[in-house]
Amino acid sequence: MLLRKGLPNLSWDFLTGLPSEIEEGGGIGPALFNSFYILFLSLAISIPLGMAAGIYLAEFAPDNRFIAFIRICVEGLSSVPSIIFGLFGISLFVDIFHLDLTILGGAVSLAFLNLPMLTRVTEESLRSVPTELKNASFALGSTHLQTIRTVLIPVALNGIITGICLTAGRAFGESAVIILTAGVTTSGELWDFNLLSPGETLAVHLWYVQSEAIVPDAGDIAQKATAVLIMIVLAINLVFRVPLWMKARRMKG
Amino acid sequence: MQATALIEINKLDLFYGAFQALKQVSLEIPQRAITAFIGPSGCGKSTLLRTLNRMNDMIPGARVEGSIEIGGTDIYGGDVHVETLRKKVGMVFQQPNPFPKSIYDNVAYGPRLHGITKRRELDEIVENSLRSAALWNEVKDHLKRSALSLSGGQQQRLCIARALAVGPDVLLMDEATSALDPISTIKIEELAQELKDRYTIVMVTHNMHQAARVSHQTVFFLNGEVVEYSATEKLFSDPSDQRTEDYISGRFG
Amino acid sequence: MKKWFKPAALIALAVSLTAGGASVASAASSLKGKIVINGSSALLPLTLQAKSEFQKLNPKVKISASAVSSIAGPQSVRKGIADIGAVDWDASVDVPGFKKFDGQVANPVAVTVFAAVVNKNVGVSNLTTKQLQDIFSGKVTNWKDVGGSDANIVVVNRKFGSGTRVNFQMKALGGQDFMTKGDNYKETGSSGDMKTAIETTPNAIGYIDLPYVTDKMKALSINGAAPTEKNVLNGTYKVWGIGYFMTKGQPTGATKAFIEYIQSAKFQNGSLKKLKFIPLAAVK
Amino acid sequence: MLEMNAQSRVIAPAELGNSLRQAGGDPLDRRSRLKFFNSTFKIVCVSAAVFVCLVLFGILILMFRTGVMTFETVSFKEFFFSTNWDPENGHFGALLFIFGTFALTALTLVLAVPIAVLIAVFLAEITPVWLRGTLRPIMDLLVGIPSVVYGYLGLTILIPMLRELTGRDLADGLLAAAIVLAIMVLPTIARISDDAISAVPKKYRDASYALGSTRFQTIFRVVLPAARSGIVYAVILGMARAIGETMAVVMVIGNTPQLADSLFTPTAVLTSNIVMQITSVEFDSTWNYALYLMGFLLLAISLLLIVAVRLLQKKGAKAS
């Protein structure tokens, strides 16, 4: 339903244009770019960290109360409102490092938000790999690293990818953290890779046009932006999953 | 029967925490012959098998006293490289456990681990191993197919091929036929007969007829102790211990 | 308030006439610096528009803006996180709910008009200050008591800390407190939520910045005066406030230039008007 | 150098024995390289875990340290046992938010879990393969929709509907929020349960069918119990999301600090109150501290619920 309202009006100009405050026809170009940029950066930080921590919990961690406590804490943190992560990001980047509102701060804060989910999903997926496969690999004389790399992760990949998709979708739609740490402005250029630029994302732009903007076509922009947002979440799913599907199909053939 | 001892087990004790699973086990396992471990469930036969390639290392709380020497080297000594040990002492498990990869990748898995990357070399190893495991003719036309699409018996032979591909000298078979139908079982037994000319084979079985059919030497376990070990023919026709006689005549177990 | 305002408007005007138009254009590209703006979300459209125009003239000035709430503006300035704190009221003096911020200078930037709005199904179109006070304090709960049909009044309020709420409380309710609970009372977090709530809830009353009033809701006259720019200018509609950019001490450098640009006649009579704010110089 | 032709090689026992020993000293030797990578990797994993913990504890400490300062001015008793939340006049009773959070979470789960599990069963057991392939990505997609969108739909579609059904003037409240939340967590719970159900080995099902049970019996007596651990995990995730969800809740719950005495009384929960107010209060005020304390409390509550669910699961596992 949301798609039907927004999609037919989408145009290339809308996707790449600069936003406008007064006249109709403002675009979402920089916000769109920032969305991807911040998402990419935050995933680049959180996937390796989250996976490594998940691997630690699943494979190396001793089975004691402290680790169990950590595990529950990690789970519990996913229920902390994202705004708290935003405040944490502010006190870290703005108060301590004096970085102002930047893409970097936004991406790292977002990465923190993603970490618990990624860690737990990785751990759960690794644990669900049958022990027999692990034993088979060890019995062939592989080191622990080789087993993790060549057996555990490939087998657990489906679950991990589902987790990454969920996290990426959530991160893509997240606004509170970005408003607090990366601001509601863009640097006004479409392709700005500067890590220290302010970085409004699509979700933030959506929040802005829905709640405060007074351009005449705010409602229109909101619908279109929502449509774009949903399409992109779909696209992210596809990008991550298609290789898996293709692999599965090839194996069957 | 050739009687060069390849593996010498000397007064081996194994504990899982407080529980003693093996008590003062001493054995010699001859080279290029089939040795069978028999005994009722929980008698320690599989446990002993798993000490031979140190798969018990991964069980928390497992502790070993005494020595196991392979070719004069104590495999629990500090200077032993566990991965090489497992490469030289291959293992086939009770449940067929192929990786969810293609047939080719399953067999090539081990060699790749150990640093072989050249396609031609790999092709050769895969073909030789599959031939040795009497599977080549059945699968040579669809090596890219998923290993999981094979039947149970084929999967188990694939696992044998996978174990052979890393070039072991010893092959441990842990009730390798117990999950298979009679025809597949016979095939595996025939295979073992062929392989014994090149490999030292140790098999655990709960099927006394199998031990009688296949092995040259049989060891009878009870409650973690070796009750009797001698040439298979002798053990089954003229056991020297009353408990052995009770077991093989089906009075318990 | 008003007394204070006159000279400020004059200064603004003067600045815009003398320094503004000419110097901003000519000295443009030599200006360097970084401005961080935080605070009121109601002023954000204005800030963003001014930012893009200003940056065209001064490409070397970096401006980043965010908006959380009015109070975050002067607080960020005090903490040194932001150079400019956008706020919907004069944060250098006490207002209901908030203490003044010492050492900060309030630079007026725009006039905002607030309207009491009701759902389209409400028959009432004018309320007195007393009636508004009674409704928003929960004393009057039925539309028939203020001249409408027999239906319960649904009161929609903005959350605590909203600049619109502070202004409405001061200007329309004479400083009287809002009700805080009740079956037919809710609070919303932003102007957009308020808009949606009023549009979709029958018998609802709320208040909103004039630019957000749509034809799907009804703006009420207060004491007989409709919330229009004309009535603000001729002094009959009194529910309006001034938006300020708070700075630590007098603004300097790029920050000063930016504030001056917003106060310039060019911006005030151009983009600012298009954004449906009222120029500072126009009100008395 | 390591491989040998698998076909023809007879090795002397002593030679084999020697080959098992560590190679001496050469740092470029493959074995030592692997060993180096292996231990480096372990260190990387450990430090990642430590880093994650640092972030977690950083946030915990931030919330706790700021939160505790509440008690400099507010008594412990008032905060936890009073329902009078009127910070402008110095009253900081948070009980109503705590109650609201529990009630909302419970209500959400009551609505969402049965439907989600049914959807999961439907997806995993009943749906034909082609439909499953379409439905699963759609479910994944639903998870990714920003919560603001759900809230907006709730505000513009659900609430007017509820208003019509109940005749209330304002239908904001626990029920509206619970329905929106239930719809939001449905896909999460359904998809993870679906994975768990699909992972139940076929042999269990075969065994059940072989004993003559119907499909219905098989699903409810064998498959679901076997997938219980996964389903519980799904419920925990859904629950955590429900407890922590803010943007959607804020739009439909009414944001009024009063104890919810009915499903339609406008009320507030911990998250909605934090989000509505935390940016609007002065940094160094009791009010601000109280909001941080509520954030900490929120975490504590979700930890409590997670542990409770885990314990229930264990108990259930023992009983069966």
Side-chain angles (χ1 to χ4, degrees):
Chain A
M1 187 193 67
L2 288 161
L3 286 177
R4 205 171 48 209
K5 273 192 194 165
L7 269 188
N9 303 320
L10 277 185
S11 70
W12 186 246
D13 285 345
F14 178 69
L15 290 179
T16 57
L18 298 173
S20 152
E21 296 305 325
I22 305 175
E23 280 108 41
E24 298 194 14
I28 53 167
L32 194 58
F33 169 74
N34 280 335
S35 282
F36 280 115
Y37 194 36
I38 288 189
L39 180 68
F40 172 77
L41 285 174
S42 73
L43 287 182
I45 298 165
S46 57
I47 291 180
L49 269 176
M51 276 182 67
I55 290 170
Y56 172 77
L57 284 179
E59 288 294 310
F60 298 112
D63 196 11
N64 59 28
R65 271 162 189 273
F66 179 70
I67 295 294
F69 172 71
I70 297 270
R71 201 168 280 144
I72 290 179
C73 271
V74 172
E75 245 163 39
L77 263 160
S78 51
S79 69
V80 171
S82 53
I83 197 158
I84 302 264
F85 283 86
L87 291 170
F88 181 70
I90 287 197
S91 52
L92 194 66
F93 288 99
V94 184
D95 285 1
I96 300 178
F97 295 138
H98 294 289
L99 275 177
D100 304 331
L101 305 166
T102 60
I103 286 183
L104 183 67
V108 175
S109 307
L110 204 55
F112 289 168
L113 181 69
N114 294 342
L115 270 180
M117 177 93 175
L118 281 173
T119 305
R120 284 295 283 137
V121 166
T122 308
E123 191 199 344
E124 269 320 295
S125 312
L126 288 180
R127 275 175 191 281
S128 66
V129 175
T131 335
E132 291 98 57
L133 292 185
K134 222 168 114 180
N135 281 342
S137 174
F138 278 123
L140 289 169
S142 72
T143 61
H144 207 153
L145 168 62
Q146 286 173 319
T147 302
I148 291 170
R149 191 169 58 83
T150 54
V151 175
L152 292 187
I153 291 184
V155 175
L157 201 59
N158 222 329
I160 297 178
I161 296 270
T162 305
I164 292 179
C165 283
L166 293 185
T167 332
R170 186 177 168 200
F172 204 81
E174 174 57 45
S175 52
V177 169
I178 310 284
I179 293 172
L180 287 170
T181 55
V184 194
T185 47
T186 62
S187 60
E189 296 158 40
L190 187 47
W191 303 102
D192 188 352
F193 287 96
N194 188 347
L195 283 178
L196 299 180
S197 299
E200 178 197 38
T201 64
L202 190 58
V204 173
H205 193 66
L206 181 63
W207 165 83
Y208 169 66
V209 290
Q210 221 167 41
S211 62
E212 305 293 347
I214 38 191
V215 268
D217 57 348
D220 193 32
I221 293 178
Q223 276 166 9
K224 286 195 273 186
T226 312
V228 172
L229 205 64
I230 295 176
M231 291 307 289
I232 289 173
V233 174
L234 180 68
I236 292 174
N237 271 281
L238 283 180
V239 166
F240 277 110
R241 277 177 195 280
V242 162
L244 283 184
W245 284 338
M246 272 163 50
K247 201 175 146 204
R249 185 149 299 179
R250 214 176 51 223
M251 295 285 282
K252 266 184 213 148
Chain B
M1 193 181 102
Q2 190 182 2
T4 328
L6 180 71
I7 305 174
E8 285 172 48
I9 302 166
N10 201 2
K11 292 187 178 163
L12 188 78
D13 288 322
L14 186 135
F15 304 86
Y16 291 130
F19 172 72
Q20 186 166 6
L22 292 176
K23 296 166 195 157
Q24 293 290 304
V25 172
S26 296
L27 269 184
E28 285 183 5
I29 293 171
Q31 194 180 18
R32 269 171 273 134
I34 300 176
T35 302
F37 292 177
I38 61 169
S41 299
C43 66
K45 55 192 191 299
S46 283
T47 304
L48 180 64
L49 193 75
R50 284 164 167 267
T51 58
L52 298 180
N53 64 349
R54 290 183 56 173
M55 287 294 280
N56 281 333
D57 286 13
M58 280 172 298
I59 299 170
R63 186 164 49 86
V64 169
E65 280 167 21
S67 72
I68 299 176
E69 288 181 9
I70 296 184
T73 301
D74 182 358
I75 61 169
Y76 280 88
D79 59 347
V80 164
H81 189 251
V82 182
E83 280 77 34
T84 308
L85 169 72
R86 295 197 183 132
K87 179 168 171 281
K88 293 290 178 195
V89 182
M91 188 162 199
V92 180
F93 296 83
Q94 183 171 4
Q95 288 283 343
N97 56 356
F99 301 125
K101 302 168 184 265
S102 71
I103 295 170
Y104 183 95
D105 287 339
N106 259 282
V107 184
Y109 178 84
R112 280 186 181 136
L113 279 184
H114 298 294
I116 298 172
T117 48
K118 283 202 198 97
R119 184 79 198 181
R120 273 204 9 238
E121 241 172 290
L122 281 176
D123 285 348
E124 197 179 317
I125 293 176
V126 169
E127 181 175 343
N128 286 340
S129 307
L130 285 171
R131 276 186 198 284
S132 300
L135 193 61
W136 175 250
N137 288 329
E138 291 159 59
V139 301
K140 66 181 171 196
D141 294 325
H142 28 253
L143 290 173
K144 293 283 166 225
R145 210 178 267 186
S146 168
L148 301 179
S149 64
L150 298 174
S151 73
Q154 287 175 320
Q155 286 189 7
Q156 193 61 301
R157 275 178 284 148
L158 179 67
C159 292
I160 294 175
R162 183 176 66 187
L164 296 180
V166 291
D169 291 287
V170 180
L171 195 58
L172 309 176
M173 299 171 86
D174 189 358
E175 301 195 24
T177 60
S178 65
L180 304 179
D181 60 276
I183 294 174
S184 303
T185 303
I186 301 235
K187 271 195 176 155
I188 303 260
E189 284 177 9
E190 285 168 2
L191 182 57
Q193 289 291 358
E194 277 170 41
L195 293 174
K196 72 159 195 296
D197 296 336
R198 286 175 277 140
Y199 301 93
T200 304
I201 294 176
V202 184
M203 60 163 46
V204 164
T205 175
H206 59 226
N207 177 341
M208 279 173 288
H209 303 291
Q210 185 171 59
R213 276 198 301 270
V214 183
S215 69
H216 305 101
Q217 183 183 262
T218 301
V219 189
F220 174 57
F221 286 82
L222 196 60
N223 298 328
E225 286 173 84
V226 175
V227 174
E228 183 167 357
Y229 86 98
S230 57
T232 302
E233 233 163 87
K234 176 174 179 307
L235 188 123
F236 280 98
S237 57
D238 179 23
S240 48
D241 193 295
Q242 182 60 39
R243 289 170 295 176
T244 317
E245 193 176 343
D246 288 351
Y247 182 72
I248 57 176
S249 58
R251 249 168 259 172
F252 74 94
Chain C
M1 186 92 205
K2 258 189 141 186
K3 223 189 253 169
W4 177 88
F5 178 63
K6 249 183 190 166
L10 282 176
I11 293 169
L13 209 63
V15 162
S16 61
L17 288 179
T18 56
S23 71
V24 166
S26 62
S29 50
S30 65
L31 199 60
K32 273 190 223 168
K34 199 178 70 176
I35 310 173
V36 179
I37 306 165
N38 204 345
S40 160
S41 52
L43 289 172
L44 189 60
L46 181 83
T47 314
L48 291 181
Q49 179 63 25
K51 163 186 149 24
S52 62
E53 289 178 22
F54 186 72
Q55 277 183 324
K56 260 178 215 145
L57 298 170
N58 304 282
K60 283 185 185 151
V61 177
K62 280 197 160 182
I63 302 178
S64 57
S66 189
V68 179
S69 65
S70 275
I71 189 66
Q75 290 203 103
S76 305
V77 171
R78 183 164 64 194
K79 277 184 110 178
I81 304 171
D83 305 299
I84 292 176
V87 54
D88 296 347
W89 64 84
D90 184 352
S92 60
V93 297
D94 288 348
V95 295
F98 293 102
K99 292 216 162 49
K100 65 177 180 180
F101 285 80
D102 287 324
Q104 293 194 15
V105 174
N107 307 277
V109 290
V111 172
T112 325
V113 183
F114 306 100
V117 286
V118 291
N119 185 276
K120 280 231 140 176
N121 84 328
V122 174
V124 177
S125 59
N126 179 46
L127 289 173
T128 63
T129 304
K130 178 80 177 78
Q131 284 171 326
L132 278 174
Q133 286 176 340
D134 287 348
I135 289 173
F136 279 99
S137 64
K139 273 186 214 141
V140 169
T141 57
N142 196 305
W143 282 112
K144 71 171 190 248
D145 296 335
V146 290
S149 50
D150 182 9
N152 287 327
I153 300 176
V154 176
V155 176
V156 186
N157 198 358
R158 289 288 301 276
K159 64 173 178 175
F160 176 85
S162 148
T164 312
R165 172 169 161 155
V166 170
N167 275 302
F168 195 77
Q169 191 177 356
M170 286 196 301
K171 304 286 169 54
L173 305 181
Q176 184 197 261
D177 282 343
F178 288 102
M179 64 199 288
T180 54
K181 44 192 74 167
D183 274 354
N184 288 329
Y185 171 81
K186 70 179 269 187
E187 293 183 11
T188 59
S190 69
S191 303
D193 288 352
M194 172 66 92
K195 193 175 92 181
T196 318
I198 295 295
E199 283 173 0
T200 58
T201 315
N203 303 316
I205 183 169
Y207 52 88
I208 203 165
D209 297 37
L210 193 58
Y212 295 96
V213 174
T214 63
D215 49 12
K216 288 189 211 141
M217 56 172 87
K218 193 158 77 178
L220 296 179
S221 298
I222 297 178
N223 299 324
T228 59
E229 194 180 331
K230 200 181 105 217
N231 286 345
V232 172
L233 297 185
N234 68 24
T236 50
Y237 189 80
K238 300 209 161 37
V239 188
W240 51 269
I242 299 167
Y244 295 89
F245 276 6
M246 305 300 295
T247 53
K248 206 173 232 169
Q250 289 295 336
T252 54
T255 308
K256 182 169 177 236
F258 182 62
I259 292 177
E260 279 169 0
Y261 179 78
I262 290 187
Q263 290 172 338
S264 72
K266 176 172 167 258
F267 186 80
Q268 292 271 322
N269 293 323
S271 303
L272 185 130
K273 259 188 163 169
K274 283 191 203 142
L275 288 166
K276 295 181 193 156
F277 289 93
I278 296 179
L280 289 167
V283 288
K284 297 173 193 78
Chain D
M1 66 190 170
L2 279 158
E3 82 285 0
M4 273 168 228
N5 191 341
Q7 298 303 306
S8 60
R9 113 233 85 97
V10 175
I11 193 169
E15 204 180 312
L16 171 61
N18 282 328
S19 73
L20 298 180
R21 293 176 197 275
Q22 302 275 25
D26 182 1
L28 289 177
D29 176 68
R30 190 178 154 80
R31 284 185 197 171
S32 16
R33 226 170 48 222
L34 281 178
K35 201 171 172 187
F36 172 75
F37 282 136
N38 199 30
S39 43
T40 317
F41 178 72
K42 188 168 175 181
I43 292 169
V44 167
C45 284
V46 172
S47 34
V50 168
F51 183 81
V52 171
C53 289
L54 276 183
V55 172
L56 303 191
F57 286 117
I59 289 170
L60 282 182
I61 288 166
L62 172 84
M63 287 194 292
F64 185 71
R65 229 186 43 196
T66 322
V68 159
M69 290 197 275
T70 316
F71 295 122
E72 284 172 9
T73 43
V74 182
S75 77
F76 197 76
K77 206 178 118 201
E78 184 190 347
F79 189 83
F80 285 104
F81 296 106
S82 158
T83 59
N84 184 8
W85 175 262
D86 187 4
E88 284 167 270
N89 300 314
H91 298 294
F92 294 92
L95 180 64
L96 75 105
F97 304 118
I98 301 171
F99 171 78
T101 294
F102 275 113
L104 180 59
T105 309
L107 204 55
T108 304
L109 289 184
V110 166
L111 289 174
V113 171
I115 303 176
V117 172
L118 279 182
I119 293 178
V121 166
F122 181 72
L123 274 177
E125 297 282 316
I126 298 166
T127 322
V129 176
W130 62 268
L131 189 59
R132 192 179 306 168
T134 339
L135 282 179
R136 280 186 178 156
I138 290 180
M139 300 288 277
D140 290 344
L141 186 63
L142 286 178
V143 178
I145 293 178
S147 47
V148 185
V149 175
Y150 284 103
Y152 188 74
L153 292 179
L155 189 58
T156 52
I157 296 173
L158 176 69
I159 290 207
M161 248 165 64
L162 283 177
R163 214 177 273 144
E164 218 151 273
L165 284 176
T166 60
R168 290 249 168 188
D169 294 308
L170 191 68
D172 294 43
L174 282 182
L175 186 66
I179 293 176
V180 168
L181 277 186
I183 294 172
M184 277 183 64
V185 299
L186 255 183
T188 309
I189 302 182
R191 267 302 268 129
I192 298 177
S193 307
D194 168 23
D195 283 345
I197 293 173
S198 305
V200 172
K202 192 166 170 294
K203 57 185 175 197
Y204 291 179
R205 278 171 216 156
D206 293 347
S208 172
Y209 285 128
L211 292 171
S213 31
T214 62
R215 189 176 212 177
F216 182 83
Q217 288 170 321
T218 305
I219 290 172
F220 284 89
R221 299 264 174 82
V222 177
V223 177
L224 286 186
R228 184 172 50 208
S229 148
I231 295 176
V232 166
Y233 175 63
V235 172
I236 289 181
L237 269 189
M239 186 173 76
R241 188 161 181 203
I243 296 176
E245 179 50 44
T246 47
M247 300 317 261
V249 174
V250 159
M251 294 173 100
V252 293
I253 200 162
N255 307 306
T256 311
Q258 58 193 349
L259 201 63
D261 49 9
S262 85
L263 289 178
F264 297 101
T265 311
T267 180
V269 293
L270 288 170
T271 47
S272 69
N273 197 57
I274 294 173
V275 166
M276 286 286 275
Q277 303 190 331
I278 204 157
T279 52
S280 315
V281 299
E282 292 184 46
F283 290 150
D284 300 313
S285 62
T286 311
W287 194 343
N288 191 30
Y289 302 152
L291 291 175
Y292 272 93
L293 186 63
M294 284 162 64
F296 188 75
L297 212 58
L298 191 67
L299 184 72
I301 289 177
S302 67
L303 292 188
L304 206 74
L305 288 178
I306 290 170
V307 172
V309 172
R310 283 271 152 91
L311 286 181
L312 277 179
Q313 178 199 2
K314 257 187 205 153
K315 223 173 167 187
K318 260 181 210 152
S320 65

